[in-house]
Structure formats: structure tokens, C-alpha cells
């Protein structure tokens, strides 16, 4: 009988994801060997603390603190430490030693992706990262391979499970943001310091990765416009539902043409937005993720599932390991990252979007006309207006609530309109401004 080829796999990190990856590689060894065409031997798992308790079933003798020594023995290195350093240095060590690398590290890819892809290309190695966006959801390979023959025009993604859980709980249970965040922390969705989730940093990293892949263009993290969701109130969520919307924190990547300059480019942004209840993204509940892709030929596609979790994320990592092993067995260099389009990355002011603006206004003759003028003076067209019965102020100066939805207009014109409304003598207060997406 011919002995099957053996590939040595080093797992850097034995935490939530790494421990599951190592355990599944060991437990499903025969099945994975049959699929990969080679035995996948776990040669070690790098951790900081050899005595810390771990999920999964990892033989104690596989644990080590010496990452560099382990990398030198490996054909495939799986980086599941997280953060920028030492992950970056260890991945470069692995690539330079000729190993293929698998990582789930969105922070590192969004910050140092071009350097790592360049290093992989130099040595003909593979760098796979299916788990970096959307956890278990296959979205990287569909964008890189399945849609490589199409032109992606837009991506709308719910790519952070913690914030989707919080917003969904506010919507479904009527919880405040503070209570929903406390519950997300209790359930282990939010980090001990949830800033990366609720301020949109995590989603911005994922947006940079998705935009780079979808538009064959390097989109740096600094170019992603980012607004968190900490200013979203329960009142906004409740009135959004009454008006037929759900509030979601979206990562939006678009290929656009700047109306003023005619320059074609790409944009990436993260902010809370109103999504019509009829849109598939409005039905993404709990800590789930979904990525809605619009492509010229394919039309609309949605990828949905668990965006986090140790074993769920391990599924995507294992897929990458099998894929890397198959290439090892077949031979030949890894496929380089495609950035051939090299489109300019346009600023937020080039984006066109729709706004829903809620105002408390003085309820007297001429007010509606005065407000309409603020919109028309800035070239913003109003799509719908609804006014409540008098609901505030006093007898001398009663007020009412006005909800205005605009047509798509330049972000800069919309922002200028909101500033002008806030300064208008007929506006008591600007209660809420939210962008509307998915229409
Ligand atoms: P954890 O914090 O649970 O695990 C990190 C592991 O790395 C631990 O085993 C830790 O050792 C080890 N480690 C940390 N620093 C060092 C170091 N300097 N040297 C050696 N080992 C070190 O992280 P996760 O498993 O949650 O995440 C891993 C990666 O996967 C991250 O990039 C994350 O963004 C990504 N990811 C995670 C998801 C999730 O649901 N958890 C979802 C999608 C992506 P020790 O155990 O001894 O402390
Ligand atoms: N903190 C992230 C989330 C983990 O809530 O989605 C997955 O990247």
C-alpha cells in the first residue's frame, strides 16, 4: 500500500478558535486526509500559558510557547493568536520559511494585508483568510473565486454579531442599548472591552477586507468611514419599526462615480442605517451575520450564518487548511491576491445616500414651506413627509414631530441640510438623523 503524504500543521493560538481547530483536526483526521489528499498532522499548538484551561481536546504534549521553532517544522501555519503583533511577524516568518498560512485575523489583514500578500506572492505561498469576515459564513472565497468573472457593484453587510444582537434586542425586546450590551456581555458575544464592536472598528476592518476583494483594489483601513452605534436610542429603533424599517449597523462597500468630478472609484463605510423590513438584511436576528452582494450579472446574493463562535469559526479555518493542503499535493504556486483594478478610494463626501430626518418643529403656518426650502436650496429632493398631531411645546408655541425621508443625494448636501435645519428658527430640535439603505 502506498503511504499517504503527510503535511505538518502548526496552530498558533489555542483559544476559542485555535483549540477547536486543533481538536477537530485530530478528531476528524481520517476524513480530512481523504479530502485533502494528505494526512494533516498537528505538530503543535502555540499558547502563552501552558497551564490555562482550554476548550476541546488537545493533548498536553502538543502545547508549546515557542512559535518560531514550531513554524520551522510546518508545511501549513494557522495563525489564531489575533492582534497585530506577534501575529504579523510570525506570519512573515511562516511565509518566508515556505509554509502556507491560514489566518482569521481581520485586524491584521485590514492593517497589514498588502505587506502579507506581497510576502506570500514573493515565495509562491498561499495566504487564506475565510474566517476573517463573517466567521463560519463562506464569503471570502465566493468573492475571490466564484464572483471573479462578475463585477460587484455593492456589498451591504451585517458583519458584527455583537452589535446586531444589541440592535435586535432593542427592536424585539424593547431593551435599552445599555441593557442589551450588558446581556451581550453576559452571553459572551461582546468582548470584555466592547469598544471595537460598538464603535464600529471591527466592522470597519471587515469592510476594508471585503471592499479590497470585491473591487480588486487595495482599500486601506484609514479610508473606511466609521460611525459606531452608541448614539442609537430605543426611541429611534421603535419609531423606525413603526415606519417600516429595522436599524442595523452596516458595512457598505460600493463602486461609485463621483457626481462632481466624474471619477469612478470605490468607497467603504460603516454606520447605523435604516433597512426596509422587506429587505433580507432586516430579518437577520440575534448575533448572526449576513453579507448581501449586488453584482452586475449575478444580481443579488445573500450569505448568512454564524459570524463568530469558536467551533463555527473553526469550520471556515478547516476549509482553508484543506484547500491549502490540496494545493500542496497538486504542486504549483499559490494564487496571488487580485488588486489589478486599482481604483481610487473616494471620500465619504462622494457617496450618495438617503436620509430620514426627524424634527420637532413649531406648528404654525409657513413652517413646512420654510423647511422645504432648506432642502431645495441644497439640491436635496424630499421623497416623503409625515407630521404628527401637535405633541409638544406650549399653547403660545405648540410643536409637532416631522419625519422627512429624502431621495438619494450627495452626503455633503445632506449634511449641510441637517446643519441648516438645526439653525432654523422654526425647528425646535433635530431629534434623529439616520441614513436609509437597501432601497
Ligand atoms: P483567543 O483570545 O480566545 O485566543 C488567543 C490564543 O492565542 C490563546 O490561546 C493565547 O494563549 C494565544 N496567544 C495570545 N498571545 C500570544 C502570544 N503573544 N504568543 C503566543 N500565543 C499567544 O482568540 P480567538 O480564538 O477568539 O481569536 C483568534 C483569531 O480569530 C483572532 O484573530 C480573532 O479576531 C479571530 N476570530 C475570532 C472569532 C471568534 O468567534 N472568537 C470569530 C472570527 C474571527 P493563552 O490561551 O495561553 O492565553
Ligand atoms: N466581535 C466580533 C463580533 C467577533 O461580534 O462579530 C467576530 O469577528
Amino acid at each position: 500500500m502506498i503511504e499517504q503524504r503527510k503535511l505538518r500543521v502548526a496552530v498558533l493560538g489555542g483559544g476559542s478558535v485555535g483549540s477547536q481547530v486543533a481538536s477537530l483536526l485530530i478528531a476528524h483526521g481520517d476524513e480530512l486526509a481523504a479530502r485533502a489528499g494528505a494526512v494533516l498532522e498537528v505538530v503543535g499548538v502555540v499558547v502563552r500559558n501552558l497551564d490555562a484551561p482550554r476548550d476541546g481536546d488537545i493533548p498536553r504534549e502538543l502545547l508549546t510557547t515557542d512559535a518560531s521553532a514550531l513554524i520551522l517544522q510546518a508545511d501549513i501555519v494557522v495563525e489564531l493568536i489575533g492582534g497585530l503583533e506577534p501575529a504579523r511577524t510570525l506570519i512573515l516568518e511562516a511565509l518566508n520559511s515556505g509554509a502556507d498560512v491560514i489566518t482569521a485575523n481581520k485586524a491584521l489583514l485590514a492593517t497589514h494585508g498588502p505587506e502579507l500578500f506581497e510576502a506570500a506572492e514573493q515565495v509562491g505561498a498561499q495566504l487564506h483568510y475565510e474566517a476573517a469576515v463573517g466567521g463560519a459564513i463562506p464569503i471570502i472565497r465566493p468573492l475571490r473565486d466564484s464572483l471573479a468573472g462578475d463585477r460587484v457593484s455593492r456589498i451591504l453587510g451585517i458583519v458584527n454579531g455583537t452589535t446586531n444582537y444589541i440592535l435586535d434586542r432593542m427592536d424585539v425586546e424593547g431593551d435599552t442599548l445599555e441593557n442589551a450590551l450588558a446581556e451581550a456581555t453576559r452571553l459572551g458575544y461582546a468582548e470584555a472591552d466592547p469598544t471595537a464592536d460598538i464603535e464600529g472598528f471591527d466592522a470597519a476592518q471587515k469592510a476594508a477586507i471585503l471592499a479590497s476583494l470585491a473591487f480588486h483594489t487595495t482599500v486601506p483601513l484609514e479610508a473606511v468611514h466609521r460611525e459606531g452605534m452608541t448614539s442609537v436610542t430605543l426611541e429611534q429603533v421603535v419609531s423606525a419599526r413603526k415606519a417600516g424599517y429595522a436599524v442595523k449597523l452596516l458595512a457598505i462597500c460600493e463602486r461609485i462615480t463621483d457626481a462632481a468630478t466624474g471619477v469612478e472609484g470605490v468607497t467603504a463605510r460603516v454606520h447605523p442605517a435604516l433597512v426596509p423590513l422587506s429587505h433580507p438584511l432586516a430579518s437577520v436576528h440575534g448575533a448572526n451575520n449576513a453579507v448581501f452582494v449586488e453584482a452586475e450579472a449575478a444580481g443579488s446574493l445573500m450569505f448568512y450564518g454564524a459570524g463568530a463562535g469558536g467551533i463555527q469559526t473553526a469550520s471556515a479555518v478547516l476549509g482553508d487548511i484543506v484547500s491549502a493542503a490540496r494545493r500542496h499535493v497538486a504542486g504549483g504556486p499559490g494564487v496571488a491576491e487580485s488588486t489589478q483594478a486599482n481604483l481610487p478610494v473616494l471620500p465619504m463626501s462622494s457617496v450618495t445616500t438617503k436620509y430620514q430626518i426627524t424634527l420637532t418643529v413649531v406648528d404654525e403656518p409657513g413652517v413646512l414651506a420654510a423647511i422645504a426650502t432648506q432642502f431645495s436650496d441644497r439640491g436635496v429632493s424630499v421623497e416623503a413627509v409625515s407630521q404628527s398631531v401637535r405633541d409638544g411645546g406650549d399653547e403660545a408655541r405648540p410643536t409637532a414631530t416631522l419625519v422627512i425621508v429624502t431621495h438619494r443625494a450627495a452626503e455633503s448636501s445632506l449634511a449641510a441640510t441637517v446643519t441648516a435645519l438645526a439653525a432654523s428658527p422654526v425647528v425646535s430640535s433635530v431629534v434623529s438623523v439616520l441614513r436609509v439603505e437597501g432601497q
Side-chain angles (χ1 to χ4, degrees):
M1 195 175 99
I2 304 166
E3 204 180 319
Q4 206 170 15
R5 185 167 169 191
K6 196 179 275 186
L7 293 173
R8 293 154 300 177
V9 182
V11 182
L12 314 184
S16 306
V17 184
S19 60
Q20 297 291 349
V21 167
S23 301
L24 290 169
L25 274 170
I26 294 165
H28 300 169
D30 291 346
E31 205 175 323
L32 292 172
R35 289 182 200 165
V39 172
L40 301 170
E41 183 196 3
V42 181
V43 289
V45 179
V46 175
V47 294
R48 264 179 313 205
N49 177 2
L50 294 171
D51 298 318
R54 315 216 159 263
D55 299 337
D57 200 7
I58 310 174
R60 163 90 192 191
E61 62 274 17
L62 284 181
L63 297 180
T64 173
T65 55
D66 191 346
S68 295
L70 194 66
I71 285 169
L72 286 177
Q73 303 172 37
D75 301 298
I76 297 173
V77 172
V78 186
E79 185 278 305
L80 296 166
I81 290 175
L84 301 187
E85 289 292 357
R88 173 185 155 274
T89 304
L90 294 173
I91 288 180
L92 289 172
E93 270 178 39
L95 292 170
N96 291 329
S97 76
D100 287 334
V101 171
I102 317 301
T103 181
N105 193 333
K106 64 248 167 178
L108 181 63
L109 289 166
T111 313
H112 295 295
E115 180 192 19
L116 302 177
F117 295 127
E118 167 76 18
E121 195 177 352
Q122 289 293 321
V123 296
Q126 299 171 94
L127 178 56
H128 289 312
Y129 53 96
E130 184 59 72
V133 181
I137 305 171
I139 181 62
I140 300 298
R141 203 163 276 111
L143 284 174
R144 186 161 67 177
D145 297 336
S146 321
L147 290 166
D150 206 336
R151 281 188 113 204
V152 174
S153 47
R154 191 145 78 126
I155 294 177
L156 298 175
I158 294 173
V159 291
N160 183 270
T162 302
T163 47
N164 200 59
Y165 177 82
I166 293 170
L167 290 168
D168 192 45
R169 208 174 152 94
M170 289 166 79
D171 192 0
V172 175
E173 307 281 337
D175 245 349
T176 60
L177 189 144
E178 292 72 23
N179 284 347
L181 173 58
E183 190 59 12
T185 307
R186 193 184 70 75
L187 291 169
Y189 298 141
E191 308 290 327
D193 173 7
T195 310
D197 297 309
I198 60 179
E199 293 297 350
F201 291 101
D202 175 77
Q205 290 162 357
K206 293 166 178 169
I209 294 170
L210 290 176
S212 299
L213 260 178
F215 304 127
H216 306 272
T217 290
T218 301
V219 177
L221 182 55
E222 313 78 74
V224 180
H225 172 90
R226 177 192 56 78
E227 295 168 34
M229 46 75 77
T230 47
S231 59
V232 176
T233 62
L234 180 56
E235 291 68 35
Q236 280 178 319
V237 174
V238 170
S239 59
R241 177 151 291 268
K242 279 194 199 137
Y245 300 101
V247 183
K248 298 288 183 190
L249 184 75
L250 294 185
I252 303 166
C253 311
E254 286 176 304
R255 182 195 288 261
I256 61 168
T257 302
D258 183 285
T261 62
V263 171
E264 194 196 2
V266 302
T267 60
R269 54 194 161 108
V270 169
H271 54 71
L274 295 172
V275 176
L277 292 174
S278 56
H279 193 283
L281 285 174
S283 308
V284 177
H285 296 293
N288 283 308
N289 282 196
V291 184
F292 190 83
V293 180
E294 295 169 22
E296 275 182 18
S300 298
L301 308 164
M302 186 152 111
F303 302 82
Y304 166 85
I311 195 159
Q312 294 86 345
T313 307
S315 162
V317 174
L318 286 164
D320 279 350
I321 295 173
V322 170
S323 173
R326 285 177 179 153
R327 203 276 310 180
H328 259 280
V329 172
V335 178
E337 210 64 8
S338 159
T339 53
Q340 47 72 32
N342 201 18
L343 293 164
V345 183
L346 300 176
M348 189 64 182
S349 53
S350 299
V351 166
T352 63
T353 182
K354 295 173 69 160
Y355 273 21
Q356 186 214 55
I357 303 167
T358 306
L359 306 169
T360 307
V361 299
V362 180
D363 192 7
E364 57 191 33
V367 166
L368 210 49
I371 286 171
T373 304
Q374 302 294 355
F375 285 84
S376 57
D377 281 355
R378 287 158 192 88
V380 177
S381 170
V382 171
E383 182 184 276
V385 181
S386 64
Q387 186 184 324
S388 70
V389 289
R390 288 178 178 180
D391 55 6
D394 51 37
E395 221 160 287
R397 213 170 144 79
T399 58
T401 302
L402 204 59
V403 180
I404 300 160
V405 178
T406 71
H407 283 292
R408 263 185 183 268
E411 177 73 23
S412 48
S413 310
L414 288 162
T417 306
V418 173
T419 305
L421 288 169
S424 164
V426 297
V427 174
S428 298
S429 68
V430 178
V431 179
S432 156
V433 179
L434 283 167
R435 297 182 185 88
V436 182
E437 298 291 342
Q439 270 185 333

